[in-house]
Amino acid sequence: MATKNQTSSSHGSSESDCKEIHDSWGRLNHIVQALASKNQLERLQIRETYMEIYGEDLISHLQKAQITSQSQSYESGLSPKMSAALSMWMLGPHERDAVVARDALDQQSDVNYKSLVEIFVGRKSSHVLLIKQAYQTRFRRQLDQDIVNIEPPHPFQRILVALAASHYAHQADVSQHIAKCDARRLYQTGEGRSGAIDETVVLEVLSKRSIPQLKLTFSCYKRIYGHDYTKSLKNENYGEFEDALKTVVKCIYNPPKHYAKTLYASIKGTTTDKGALLRVMVNRAEVDMDEIQKVFKKKYGMELRDAIFENIPSGDYRDFLISIATKTATDIS
């Protein structure tokens, strides 16, 4: 009985939220307040209830508001950037990652490999499978095949293919023995010999190990050889493959540090990855944003929300990002 009452109460709350959103297109702050504070399940309920009441998908309505604002001097009260932000926020995690992947690949010769790496490294295998399904449903394309078909070829491409393979078959439990063996192989085919790294060995390790297993391998590498594996990739004679591998390893080994640095570069405008700020804020909000903020403060001496406030122009978009930054991270169900 309690569960039924809770469900009824939740539905009633989402109806109220939907009505407030529907009546607030000219008062943007109400929309930001109504949506930015909601967790994933609450947003899903709002989206479903909005469809029931108004017969239209809320995300489609937000996207229309963006088009309207672009052509009619923001009569809807939604700036293009804000409409895009709210649309991304309202998507479920699998569909959102599918959209991020498509956007990354749509850059043609300037593919956003970093955002693709974050998907394959930062998600569980079960989640990656759902991303691929969402990608196929939404775009009528195969994500793996689109990565294989990237032109011109790039070292990131070979690494991504290996990471995609790693999500298909691997041991569920991590192994110290395997981690030590892989660490030694990486050393012997890298800094332990002269010349470039043996890409074949690296790609084999990446393709056959889970992300948790790879993280343990890099931890063992540091314990055995006294420094991070990424330090061995800084040889000035190395090329694009080693540079790409360094980015991937950092994302695997210390995700909060990787995302903190990505956020800082985006906030300061020192990166060409223009969508990084919104992508990381939305994608990590209910995963590890609390840990990212701790690293950010320790590394840069200021709170993430303060950095956003000081560096992002005032307005709806800044308010939205600050709202997300102040949320307490919760597990995605």
Side-chain angles (χ1 to χ4, degrees):
M1 188 68 177
T3 302
K4 183 176 180 180
N5 288 338
Q6 290 172 355
T7 302
S8 176
S9 175
S10 174
H11 190 271
S13 176
S14 62
E15 282 188 355
S16 176
D17 287 330
C18 288
K19 291 176 181 178
E20 180 180 4
I21 293 167
H22 187 266
D23 295 337
S24 300
W25 291 115
R27 295 172 289 127
L28 183 64
N29 286 339
H30 289 275
I31 298 176
V32 173
Q33 292 170 7
L35 296 179
S37 62
K38 304 300 182 184
N39 63 36
Q40 177 191 316
L41 293 179
E42 290 170 335
R43 297 195 302 274
L44 175 62
Q45 183 66 59
I46 289 173
R47 188 178 175 187
E48 292 176 346
T49 304
Y50 195 94
M51 173 65 79
E52 292 175 5
I53 297 176
Y54 301 106
E56 183 178 18
D57 182 40
L58 179 56
I59 294 177
S60 298
H61 199 54
L62 290 168
Q63 292 169 343
K64 286 182 181 179
Q66 178 180 350
I67 295 172
T68 301
S69 64
Q70 288 176 314
S71 60
Q72 299 181 11
S73 302
Y74 309 152
E75 288 182 6
S76 69
L78 287 169
S79 68
K81 186 176 287 188
M82 189 63 242
S83 296
L86 286 175
S87 297
M88 181 177 284
W89 183 239
M90 291 302 296
L91 286 170
H94 314 124
E95 190 176 7
R96 184 191 305 133
D97 280 341
V99 170
V100 168
R102 187 65 234 161
D103 287 345
L105 291 162
D106 271 342
Q107 302 303 312
Q108 299 178 358
S109 61
D110 192 23
V111 173
N112 190 339
Y113 289 105
K114 193 172 183 180
S115 63
L116 291 171
V117 167
E118 289 171 1
I119 288 174
F120 283 100
V121 168
R123 303 302 191 189
K124 296 179 180 179
S125 296
S126 57
H127 188 117
V128 171
L129 176 61
L130 292 172
I131 293 169
K132 293 178 180 180
Q133 292 174 350
Y135 189 93
Q136 183 175 11
T137 299
R138 189 179 182 95
F139 303 110
R140 300 292 188 269
R141 307 170 68 95
Q142 298 285 345
L143 177 55
D144 288 353
Q145 195 60 47
D146 280 350
I147 292 174
V148 170
N149 292 337
I150 292 175
E151 292 290 347
H154 192 281
F156 262 124
Q157 182 183 24
R158 300 195 291 278
I159 295 173
L160 284 167
V161 170
L163 291 173
S166 76
H167 286 284
Y168 283 106
H170 57 74
Q171 296 295 324
D173 298 325
V174 296
S175 165
Q176 284 282 349
H177 175 69
I178 291 176
K180 291 177 182 177
C181 290
D182 285 345
R184 291 192 175 96
R185 290 188 70 197
L186 291 175
Y187 177 83
Q188 292 165 0
T189 57
E191 65 175 316
R193 68 171 196 166
S194 60
I197 283 178
D198 188 336
E199 292 185 24
T200 303
V201 172
V202 173
L203 294 175
E204 180 187 349
V205 171
L206 292 179
S207 66
K208 292 184 176 181
R209 309 297 185 227
S210 67
I211 298 303
Q213 182 66 53
L214 289 171
K215 186 173 183 178
L216 182 59
T217 294
F218 299 133
S219 178
C220 284
Y221 192 101
K222 183 175 184 178
R223 189 164 60 251
I224 295 171
Y225 300 108
H227 59 262
D228 290 332
Y229 179 56
T230 52
K231 184 177 181 180
S232 71
L233 302 175
K234 294 180 179 180
N235 188 318
E236 62 182 15
N237 296 321
Y238 285 170
E240 286 186 329
F241 179 81
E242 287 80 8
D243 286 341
L245 181 60
K246 184 165 57 178
T247 297
V248 173
V249 172
K250 286 181 177 180
C251 193
I252 293 174
Y253 186 55
N254 194 337
K257 184 177 180 180
H258 164 82
Y259 289 117
K261 291 179 68 174
T262 299
L263 286 173
Y264 185 79
S266 185
I267 290 170
K268 290 295 184 179
T270 59
T271 177
T272 58
D273 187 359
K274 301 303 181 183
L277 177 56
L278 178 61
R279 182 181 75 243
V280 173
M281 292 295 294
V282 170
N283 277 347
R284 310 309 296 186
E286 295 168 306
V287 181
D288 55 359
M289 184 54 69
D290 54 344
E291 191 62 30
I292 293 170
Q293 293 196 68
K294 291 176 184 177
V295 174
F296 191 96
K297 183 176 182 180
K298 182 178 180 180
K299 186 172 181 63
Y300 302 109
M302 64 189 311
E303 298 286 354
L304 173 60
R305 58 181 177 272
D306 293 335
I308 293 171
F309 183 83
E310 293 179 9
N311 292 276
I312 304 300
S314 62
D316 49 11
Y317 182 63
R318 185 179 73 177
D319 293 343
F320 178 73
L321 293 176
I322 291 175
S323 294
I324 295 179
T326 57
K327 284 173 60 67
T328 300
T330 57
D331 293 333
I332 291 182
S333 300

